[in-house]
Amino acid sequence: MCQICSAASAQGTLDHCLCGSPQTQAAFARIEADLRRREMLGGMAAVLGLFAGFGLGPEPAHGQGAGQPLLLTNLRYFDGSRLAMQDGRDILIKGGRIAAILHAGQGPEEARRIDCGGRAVIPGLIDSHWHSTLVGVTQLQAMSADIGFVHLMAGQQAQATLMRGFTTVRDTGGPAFGLKLAIDRGVVPGPRILASGAMISQTSGHGDFRMVGDLPRADGDLHYIEKAGVAAIADGRAEVLRRAREQLMKGASQIKIMAGGGVTSLYDPLESLQFTEDEMRAAVEAAADWGTYVCAHVYTAKGIQRCLRAGVKSIEHGQLADLETARMMRDEGAWWSIQPFLADEDANPKSDPRQQAKADEVATGTVQAFDMGRAEGVNMAFGTDVLMNPAGAETQGRQLAKLTRFMDPLEALRMATGAAGELLALSGALASYEGRLGVIEEGALADLLVVAGDPEAGLDWLDTPDQSLALIMKDGAIVKEAL
């Protein structure tokens, strides 16, 4: 218990510490957001100087003056929901939120005006399957480097992620809690993060990074990856409950489990089923008790069906699903968090023929999965899963552009804006960010991009964010302006 709550406890007015409660954390987030908007970070300059050599110092965020609204004019916009561009409107921003969508020319006189020059305005992009702390390092570095190096590289990648136009990510595995806190407090620039914490895996599962020589495991013996918070190995209901609750205690927005074989891991066949239904249900119950949900790494039909029976709400990958399974996802109201795994030049590197064979199998199923999910009306959200692949991080926008192979550009864009925002909303109060994400509507968080490309014609402009993103706004603050 902290000192303040301990003092209250001594007086008999409190019997437990409130500092980690969702309500308290949400209040902290509101206070910190207000401080950022009022540009009161000058007192942190000495601390930020420590990070300057790594490129982690935040770029100046140009928000409104104290209480001054901001008005975007002369624009067309995609609202994240309707599959159409709209015009004849101005977007009023105040207090970090979209205050109103006004008829052009009707904004308040006191507002600071930004002429978008007829460009398109879209919601800030959302990557529903990102690994904030694991994207900027190789697998060898993730498993053996000093954890301080891993975190510093993560801070550098966070800024790059934001400058690619991704203002929010759902982190689906890794020690991202410190990075999230640093971003939320304005110490380093980056996207808002909904973190899962350590990936929970059974022994021999996709999150078990040990080598055969590390076996057998003694009770209480933790591998480096577990100590670093990358993964947590759990067998049996009691261990799954403990590991899930540990991530919630650390601040997880949702819980991530490994429910089937993976491509990168060497010791679990792709078709292997991981965690019994009862073990999965233990994680689901732990998450539900905190008002959130479980997402699961899994590819195959049998694995997906087991997840759904246990109450898992978000299927990560799932490229080997069949028609029956797709319909089950739809009927259960689950989300399909899917990535364009095409075994192309942008794929995560594979050093072993067994890995490559599994990657090719997944790629074969990818096209069918996109077509089937859309045809059956499954809730679908976009993610990338760039993992332990520093060179691949910059392909984040290009991965989204690839979705136009399967659907119209605005439908693809919706998967990374409004639809993804609905998925992230399943975290409830544990999301720790109040307001809708991924949409341009009154009351939504003011995460906006002004783009040079035409979203109706295609998304290739996402591959060159330095040139195509004329303005990036997160939480009402402008982090890039080149209009």
Side-chain angles (χ1 to χ4, degrees):
M1 185 176 289
C2 72
Q3 290 182 345
I4 295 174
C5 293
S6 293
S9 176
Q11 296 173 5
T13 59
L14 188 68
D15 60 2
H16 63 286
C17 184
L18 298 176
C19 296
S21 72
Q23 294 84 356
T24 303
Q25 293 302 311
F28 286 159
R30 289 195 299 271
I31 293 168
E32 289 157 4
D34 186 62
L35 290 175
R36 292 198 304 277
R37 286 194 296 272
R38 294 172 184 271
E39 301 180 320
M40 294 178 66
L41 295 176
M44 302 178 71
V47 175
L48 299 182
L50 296 173
F51 296 94
F54 293 91
L56 300 186
E59 295 183 355
H62 309 288
Q64 308 98 280
Q68 181 187 21
L70 184 66
L71 190 69
L72 302 185
T73 67
N74 189 15
L75 56 88
R76 304 166 63 232
Y77 75 99
F78 170 65
D79 67 8
S81 299
R82 294 176 53 191
L83 298 181
M85 298 296 295
Q86 303 176 58
D87 54 22
R89 296 289 189 273
D90 294 341
I91 301 174
L92 181 66
I93 298 153
K94 190 172 184 179
R97 294 177 183 264
I98 297 173
I101 310 295
L102 304 168
H103 287 284
Q106 293 188 356
E109 289 296 327
E110 69 272 17
R112 176 196 168 195
R113 283 164 167 74
I114 295 182
D115 186 340
C116 296
R119 297 177 181 86
V121 179
I122 66 173
L125 299 173
I126 300 171
D127 192 328
S128 298
H129 193 115
W130 187 248
H131 295 278
S132 307
T133 52
L134 301 177
V135 65
V137 292
T138 66
Q139 184 169 348
L140 179 62
Q141 290 169 336
M143 295 182 65
S144 61
D146 186 278
I147 195 62
F149 170 79
V150 174
H151 286 303
L152 284 168
M153 294 303 294
Q156 185 181 60
Q157 284 293 338
Q159 179 172 5
T161 302
L162 179 60
M163 299 309 290
R164 287 191 289 267
F166 287 85
T167 54
T168 300
V169 298
R170 184 179 61 150
D171 190 290
T172 49
F177 299 121
L179 178 62
K180 168 187 167 63
L181 183 60
I183 292 171
D184 289 349
R185 292 191 174 182
V187 178
V188 296
R192 54 172 54 84
I193 298 175
L194 279 78
S196 302
M199 303 170 272
I200 302 176
S201 168
Q202 69 171 48
T203 294
S204 76
H206 183 52
D208 188 346
F209 292 91
R210 298 172 299 169
M211 306 299 286
V212 172
D214 294 323
L215 304 179
R217 167 177 172 152
D219 289 343
D221 185 23
L222 296 181
H223 186 267
Y224 170 78
I225 288 295
E226 295 182 274
K227 295 176 182 177
V230 174
I233 299 173
D235 296 292
R237 164 175 274 271
E239 284 193 15
V240 172
L241 279 173
R242 177 185 299 190
R243 298 308 180 206
R245 288 167 176 167
E246 285 174 348
Q247 305 319 306
L248 292 166
M249 183 176 179
K250 289 182 175 182
S253 297
Q254 62 284 320
I255 296 298
K256 166 76 174 292
I257 65 171
M258 301 305 209
V263 171
T264 304
S265 44
L266 294 176
Y267 300 110
D268 55 328
L270 206 57
E271 66 276 8
S272 64
L273 299 179
Q274 299 178 14
F275 282 133
T276 65
E277 193 170 320
D278 185 56
E279 287 173 317
M280 290 184 189
R281 193 171 289 112
V284 169
E285 290 169 359
D289 284 345
W290 284 54
T292 188
Y293 69 100
V294 169
C295 60
H297 161 101
V298 61
Y299 285 104
T300 66
K302 287 184 178 179
I304 296 169
Q305 290 183 20
R306 178 179 287 186
C307 288
L308 295 173
R309 288 194 300 269
V312 170
K313 291 299 183 184
S314 180
I315 301 299
E316 309 302 310
H317 315 315
Q319 278 84 353
L320 302 181
D322 57 18
L323 182 59
E324 177 188 1
T325 305
R327 289 174 174 171
M328 188 175 176
M329 279 192 271
R330 176 199 62 202
D331 294 344
E332 293 293 332
W335 281 85
W336 197 344
S337 170
I338 189 168
Q339 305 75 35
F341 289 158
L342 298 172
D344 57 13
E345 66 279 3
D346 294 330
N348 294 319
K350 309 296 182 297
S351 59
D352 188 284
R354 291 171 292 176
Q355 295 173 323
Q356 190 59 55
K358 291 193 283 187
D360 291 341
E361 183 179 354
V362 169
T364 300
T366 293
V367 176
Q368 176 183 331
F370 272 102
D371 291 343
M372 187 166 53
R374 293 174 61 239
E376 295 303 319
V378 182
N379 297 321
M380 301 179 77
F382 165 77
T384 56
D385 194 31
V386 181
L387 181 63
M388 301 174 189
N389 180 11
E394 64 184 25
T395 72
Q396 192 174 20
R398 183 159 72 237
Q399 303 277 6
L400 175 54
K402 289 179 187 180
L403 267 56
T404 59
R405 171 176 173 176
F406 312 108
M407 62 194 76
D408 290 337
L410 290 185
E411 185 179 353
L413 202 55
R414 182 171 64 182
M415 282 185 61
T417 54
E422 290 182 38
L423 167 56
L424 270 54
L426 295 181
S427 292
L430 294 190
S432 73
Y433 303 108
E434 295 185 358
R436 289 198 66 188
L437 291 166
V439 292
I440 297 177
E441 65 176 34
E442 186 175 334
L445 290 170
D447 293 358
L448 300 168
L449 309 178
V450 178
V451 306
D454 181 0
E456 286 184 296
L459 302 180
D460 290 345
W461 44 270
L462 284 166
D463 195 25
T464 54
D466 287 346
Q467 293 124 32
S468 63
L469 299 184
L471 182 143
I472 301 173
M473 178 180 294
K474 178 193 168 196
D475 199 30
I478 298 172
V479 296
K480 176 186 177 181
E481 185 175 359
L483 291 169

